Amino acid sequence: MDIKRADDAISRRILAMSNRVDTLQNAGLYFYNQPVSELKGGSRVLINGREMGMYASYSYLGLVGHPKINAAAKKAVDQYGTGTHGVRSLAGTLTLHKDLEATIAHFKETEDAITYTSGYATNLTVISTLVARGDHVISDKLNHASIVDGCLMSGAKFVRFRHNDMEALEERLKQSMDGEARLVIADAVFSMDGDIIDLPRMVELCRKYNAWLMVDEAHSLGVLGETGRGIEEHFNMPGSIDIKMGTLSKTIPSVGGYVAGSAELVRFLRHASRAYIFSAAIPPAQAAAAKAAFEVILEEPWRVEKLRKNGLQFINGLRKRGFDTMMTETAIVPVLCGSDEMAFAVTRCAQADGLFVLPVVSPAVPPGLARLRATVTAAHETDEIEDAMDLIAKAGRKVGVLRP
Ligand SMILES: Cc1ncc(COP(=O)(O)O)c(C=O)c1O
């Protein structure tokens, strides 16, 4: 197919994206897909041959490159090789997978857990296995794309409620009473804004209206709660979420996704969810790394405390310098810039000064709310964070987001 000559919808879509990327690249405003070539302790990385401060990492506890986790991955390769023998239900299950699932269940204080090869696949498959035509799935408006896609794929009636607005959720629950089943889903910590879902009220409403509750802990695992166990620990509400979903690609420096819950739920998913039955297992090195990482979180509790301290320093320091950081309470810190162009310009200045931060623009966020989506981790030291905030403020003043 000659895309440039063709005039069908697929070609037009491809060309439109190509033109947008070209325009940004030509203006020096394309910041995505830059390769990291070396880890410099976690708080700094080598990108395009330049050492930069890393403020865009999801490795919240600074566990990428941890010696115990690296050693576990290497040992697994020596023992099992680099792949499995296929899908989990047939020959793909290794003792490593069973050990990892037991470790997750222990960490999340549930009866059992099941793993998949990505968090994205986990949301798609779990939601579309649990609900179907005739059911209702009720989702926070700012939930992650993988939740939205899972809801759409399920065929259930898909309704959304205003972000973190429990009155709006109750309205939706009342309207859904004609359905067969009700599933309510929310992120624990929202990936663009860094705020925390109102779990106590949500649990109360799910109980009142006999709805199942699923919470995506991609950004709360290792982040919330005194020992990093997540949102239930944060609110001191053990056992209140029916389906605790998470990813193994952020705080846990591996790849994969999981659901922790009752033994019956996990047994059902092992026999009914298509990403488990029809897709390959997590490779040995990644399963072993993930298991070791859960152990490290418990063995090195200072990391959770340091992340909390660093998060507070980053949020308060940016606010003091004049930035709007929205409602964040966690390590994800939106630095509001306004227009997409402003966010690109602030990023360009900050990156020129050696700070690896990235912009989030529309349609990922509403127009006018473009921002830097900055993160701190437990790998950062106090003075590094102060220096980084000074550079972000310098960029903000230069571009006009802050007053000179
Ligand atoms: C809230 C949330 N859920 C799910 C995912 C998908 O996880 P994974 O990267 O493991 O596919 C992400 C990743 O960005 C996320 O932020």
Side-chain angles (χ1 to χ4, degrees):
M1 175 73 71
D2 181 350
I3 292 175
K4 291 211 168 72
R5 282 164 193 254
D7 191 27
D8 63 294
I10 298 175
S11 304
R12 281 197 298 275
R13 249 169 242 142
I14 294 173
L15 266 183
M17 180 60 80
S18 199
N19 289 340
R20 186 162 190 220
V21 173
D22 276 349
T23 308
L24 290 172
Q25 281 176 338
N26 293 338
L29 295 175
Y30 185 82
F31 304 104
Y32 306 107
N33 300 305
Q34 297 189 57
V36 172
S37 54
E38 215 179 297
L39 290 176
K40 297 268 180 189
S43 69
R44 302 188 68 74
V45 286
L46 203 65
I47 295 181
N48 297 323
R50 279 178 73 208
E51 192 176 319
M52 300 178 86
M54 175 54 126
Y55 291 85
S57 172
Y58 294 131
S59 183
Y60 294 117
L61 295 180
L63 295 180
V64 176
H66 189 289
K68 172 172 171 168
I69 300 171
N70 285 1
K74 287 174 194 162
K75 183 164 170 243
V77 172
D78 288 341
Q79 192 171 348
Y80 295 95
T82 53
T84 61
H85 305 275
V87 299
R88 287 288 303 275
S89 328
L90 300 179
T93 296
L94 307 174
T95 45
L96 278 178
H97 295 119
K98 302 308 283 179
D99 291 348
L100 170 61
E101 287 164 351
T103 302
I104 295 172
H106 172 255
F107 191 88
K108 295 300 300 173
E109 299 174 319
T110 56
E111 288 177 350
D112 207 349
I114 179 172
T115 54
Y116 301 90
T117 41
S118 80
Y120 183 87
T122 304
N123 275 333
L124 281 196
T125 204
V126 170
I127 298 167
S128 62
T129 303
L130 290 173
V131 286
R133 196 180 295 267
D135 301 329
H136 280 81
V137 60
I138 306 173
S139 167
D140 185 285
K141 220 163 186 170
L142 294 191
N143 277 346
H144 189 258
S146 54
I147 296 177
V148 174
D149 292 356
C151 294
L152 292 170
M153 187 172 151
S154 72
K157 182 156 188 215
F158 173 32
V159 286
R160 302 195 295 167
F161 59 94
R162 255 193 321 279
H163 173 51
N164 214 353
D165 180 335
M166 293 302 128
E167 279 176 25
L169 170 60
E170 181 156 30
E171 271 312 301
R172 294 302 195 195
L173 280 163
K174 278 184 193 155
Q175 289 160 2
S176 70
M177 292 308 278
D178 57 331
E180 271 290 309
R182 281 169 294 283
L183 173 63
V184 172
I185 312 180
D187 285 3
V189 169
F190 287 84
S191 56
M192 294 296 152
D193 292 26
D195 56 335
I196 303 172
I197 194 75
D198 180 356
L199 185 69
R201 185 77 182 117
M202 198 171 219
V203 168
E204 201 182 305
L205 288 172
C206 286
R207 289 191 181 146
K208 180 171 169 191
Y209 292 94
N210 198 26
W212 283 72
L213 176 59
M214 175 167 173
V215 176
D216 178 333
E217 297 221 66
H219 301 279
S220 62
L221 183 79
V223 175
L224 294 185
E226 203 182 325
T227 62
R229 282 189 157 83
I231 191 160
E232 285 185 342
E233 188 181 32
H234 175 79
F235 284 109
N236 194 19
M237 297 176 66
S240 57
I241 300 169
D242 302 306
I243 304 153
K244 291 188 252 196
M245 179 271 167
T247 157
L248 304 175
S249 66
K250 301 189 193 304
T251 292
I252 304 296
S254 182
V255 71
Y258 69 83
V259 157
S262 70
E264 290 89 346
L265 170 72
V266 171
R267 177 183 276 186
F268 170 67
L269 292 172
R270 269 193 220 291
H271 296 94
S273 57
R274 293 165 80 86
Y276 188 89
I277 303 169
F278 296 111
S279 184
I282 297 177
Q286 300 314 123
K291 175 177 178 287
F294 280 100
E295 292 162 2
V296 170
I297 297 175
L298 296 179
E299 288 159 9
E300 300 179 6
W302 61 265
R303 290 179 182 273
V304 178
E305 183 46 37
K306 189 170 171 202
L307 176 66
R308 201 179 337 272
K309 195 178 110 294
N310 285 355
L312 280 175
Q313 183 193 346
F314 201 45
I315 296 168
N316 293 335
L318 286 166
R319 283 187 185 148
K320 219 169 1 177
R321 285 166 175 81
F323 286 109
D324 180 351
T325 56
M326 304 178 76
M327 304 279 283
T328 184
E329 297 175 66
T330 64
I332 299 173
V333 183
V335 181
L336 207 61
C337 298
S339 66
D340 291 0
E341 290 70 26
M342 283 287 207
F344 286 137
V346 174
T347 305
R348 180 157 63 182
C349 290
Q351 289 204 5
D353 277 339
L355 219 58
F356 193 67
V357 282
L358 289 170
V360 182
V361 298
S362 64
V365 290
L369 294 182
R371 63 197 71 172
L372 300 187
R373 183 188 170 284
T375 52
V376 269
T377 73
H380 292 112
E381 299 305 333
T382 308
D383 49 349
E384 284 181 307
I385 298 172
E386 286 301 314
D387 292 347
M389 292 189 296
D390 285 343
L391 290 178
I392 297 174
K394 182 181 157 204
R397 280 192 300 274
K398 187 163 177 198
V399 167
V401 172
L402 296 181
R403 276 195 223 102

